[in-house]
Amino acid sequence: MNHAQAAPRLRAPVLVAVMLVTACQTNTEPVATPEVIADIRAQATSLGDSGLLASAVRQRVLQSTSGATVVTLGEATHGTREFFLYKNQAIQILTESGTRIVAFEAPWAATRAVNAYVQGEAVPEAVAMTALQYNVWRTEEVRDLLRALRAANATRSPSARVQFVGVDPQDYGFTTGDGTMAQLDTLLRRTNLLLANQVKQYYAAAGAIADTATRAGRFTSAQATRFTTLLREASTAVAAAAPQLAASLGESDAAWAVRSAEVLRLFGDQAVKSGAGDEAGAFTLRDSVMADNLLWWTRRTGTTQRAVFWGHNGHTGVQDADGVRTAGWFLRRTLGNALVSVGFSFGGGQYNANVPNDPQTAPPAPSSTVDGALASALTTPAWFDLRTVTGSLATWFTQAKGTRWLGAGGDSSPTRYLPYALSPMFDALIFVPNVTASRKLP
């Protein structure tokens, strides 16, 4: 989904591929019969004042995620307080139950500073928040999550501490001090100056091509070929030096360096696709890399660690969406039922889109949509395990359509309903009848 970044420092000519939709909901008839409305009310697990932390609800969450290697937590907007608070609670439940990786839809390299903060290192909170780069995460709710992870880690042994990782190849600090190129260069210079200089030359040449293409608004065919070749040669050079890097840097830093060079190569491919107008291809590539990066982190200890992934519905849903394949789609095909995807839906209210006139207002969803039918049945937030609902409701969740997925930067209309059913797009659902905007930090 689109983001509003902290500063437009990206050198490659790509912003963010938005979810492409070839059709939207146009039906005007109610999508839920009285029988379905009754089933919604009967089978919903109500979220009271304690939300997911109430004992009975906590048990439902643990039952729904039992056996999962990865749990993905979506959101129907990038700026809703209730979504963020419930995700914070879900992360608390999961990390208290053994999950050791919290992955974010945030840049691969810059978020190393966030992890240092979460580990209790002397990293100022403001630096950690800035390292997230995307302004959609600069909120009280996300800040409170990082504080909670840091506090909980202070009570754990080093081997049991939760790691915070970014999995997005998209990097608005592409060549700046906290970006992937700069951090990779710092690591290489600690052990192999010749390799560091060679890789830096590759990236400098690629950056010059990207600058030229950015000014022109696109890559020429020759530029695209040379740009991707340079990034591939840099990745190959770092990978070839892996044994020597491991001997001098340690296996962990060496593996991160090799993966970082590959992430940069793939980000370059994404930039070329986006610059050529292939937004569906760019979105799919970006999401495949997010999935691969997440799985890479789960394998880092030599055994598979459990992870929870925070992202937008448009990245965490497991179904192909009009030819666009999401991170959830790729994770499902790798993990099967060891992935549990939790989606979010809402009836109406306010949210932030990270534009000057925030907050935005989403009008009440009509009864002709899934969102509207749920809102007509429920007055309080609710949890559903979409795999265990029964009767008419089980069929309804797989057939009824019309849900809002709103990005940032004003790229989505709050009255546009996507023609997707909530199941099997998601394994579980949190529905909030009326939402409020996330609380932005200064």
Side-chain angles (χ1 to χ4, degrees):
M1 291 289 104
N2 199 2
H3 312 91
Q5 67 267 41
R9 298 176 292 177
L10 180 65
R11 296 182 69 176
V14 57
L15 292 178
V16 183
V18 298
M19 181 66 76
L20 303 180
V21 182
T22 58
C24 57
Q25 188 78 7
T26 57
N27 175 47
T28 58
E29 295 298 318
V31 297
T33 64
E35 179 186 7
V36 168
I37 294 294
D39 270 353
I40 291 172
R41 291 169 178 157
Q43 298 188 47
T45 297
S46 181
L47 306 182
D49 293 341
S50 298
L52 302 183
L53 300 181
S55 178
V57 183
R58 178 191 289 261
Q59 287 306 309
R60 290 289 183 93
V61 173
L62 290 173
Q63 289 169 5
S64 293
T65 58
S66 175
T69 299
V70 173
V71 176
T72 61
L73 301 174
E75 54 197 39
T77 88
H78 269 320
T80 295
R81 177 169 172 79
E82 289 78 11
F83 297 164
F84 290 179
L85 292 177
Y86 288 135
K87 290 166 80 165
N88 287 359
Q89 291 180 344
I91 289 171
Q92 178 183 334
I93 292 169
L94 293 169
T95 54
E96 288 175 350
S97 303
T99 295
R100 290 293 173 261
I101 299 169
V102 175
F104 246 62
E105 182 193 334
W108 167 260
T111 44
R112 296 183 90 195
V114 184
N115 189 50
Y117 170 82
V118 166
Q119 300 309 310
E121 297 180 22
V123 174
E125 181 177 275
V127 171
M129 292 302 298
T130 299
L132 290 168
Q133 288 195 9
Y134 304 158
N135 278 345
V136 293
W137 309 142
R138 291 185 55 80
T139 68
E140 291 182 10
E141 297 84 10
V142 173
R143 178 204 61 195
D144 291 347
L145 171 65
L146 300 187
R147 286 178 176 177
L149 292 173
R150 180 181 172 102
N153 273 345
T155 69
R156 299 185 175 111
S157 65
S159 62
R161 288 175 184 162
V162 173
Q163 305 292 314
F164 185 100
V165 302
V167 296
D168 199 341
Q170 206 157 247
D171 188 350
Y172 292 119
F174 200 42
T175 56
T176 59
D178 61 348
T180 308
M181 283 185 184
Q183 293 199 42
L184 176 58
D185 182 68
T186 297
L187 272 183
L188 296 181
R189 289 186 183 282
R190 283 168 44 190
T191 181
N192 189 327
L193 188 60
L194 182 63
L195 176 63
N197 287 336
Q198 178 189 17
V199 170
K200 188 172 185 177
Q201 288 176 354
Y202 286 136
Y203 288 152
I209 294 171
D211 282 345
T212 301
T214 299
R215 288 192 294 271
R218 66 179 185 88
F219 284 103
T220 65
S221 177
Q223 287 173 333
T225 299
R226 182 59 179 157
F227 178 70
T228 55
T229 297
L230 287 164
L231 295 178
R232 183 175 63 253
E233 289 176 348
S235 179
T236 300
V238 176
Q244 185 254 324
L245 294 175
S248 55
L249 293 173
E251 196 278 334
S252 180
D253 279 348
W256 188 87
V258 172
R259 182 61 189 169
S260 295
E262 181 64 2
V263 168
L264 282 167
R265 180 189 73 79
L266 293 164
F267 182 40
D269 289 348
Q270 179 192 336
V272 168
K273 287 181 180 295
S274 183
D278 181 10
E279 296 295 357
F283 192 107
T284 295
L285 177 58
R286 177 190 173 201
D287 273 45
S288 72
V289 178
M290 283 201 283
D292 286 345
N293 284 344
L294 176 55
L295 293 171
W296 184 89
W297 279 113
T298 68
R299 296 189 295 263
R300 285 310 307 137
T301 59
T303 57
T304 300
Q305 288 280 10
R306 295 183 67 191
V308 56
F309 172 44
W310 173 308
H312 193 281
N313 279 357
H315 297 298
T316 62
V318 302
Q319 293 291 104
D320 181 299
D322 295 301
V324 174
R325 292 176 175 174
T326 65
W329 187 95
F330 289 102
L331 290 169
R332 175 68 89 208
R333 273 138 194 84
T334 300
L335 299 174
N337 291 334
L339 168 71
V340 173
S341 179
V342 182
F344 284 72
S345 172
F346 70 108
Q350 292 194 313
Y351 66 99
N352 288 325
N354 279 281
V355 291
N357 63 334
D358 275 340
Q360 308 299 304
T361 297
S367 62
S368 58
T369 66
V370 170
D371 294 348
L374 289 168
S376 68
L378 302 170
T379 58
T380 59
W383 166 279
F384 296 89
D385 187 325
L386 299 179
R387 300 162 301 180
T388 61
V389 291
T390 60
S392 64
L393 189 58
T395 301
W396 183 78
F397 269 126
T398 66
Q399 295 180 350
K401 299 177 180 179
T403 188
R404 286 179 282 204
W405 293 357
L406 307 177
D411 70 348
S412 306
S413 167
T415 58
R416 185 180 194 184
Y417 295 86
L418 306 185
Y420 308 146
L422 294 175
S423 176
M425 181 68 78
F426 304 107
D427 301 307
L429 175 73
I430 293 177
F431 176 76
V432 183
N434 189 64
V435 299
T436 58
S438 56
R439 297 181 181 177
K440 294 183 181 182
L441 292 174

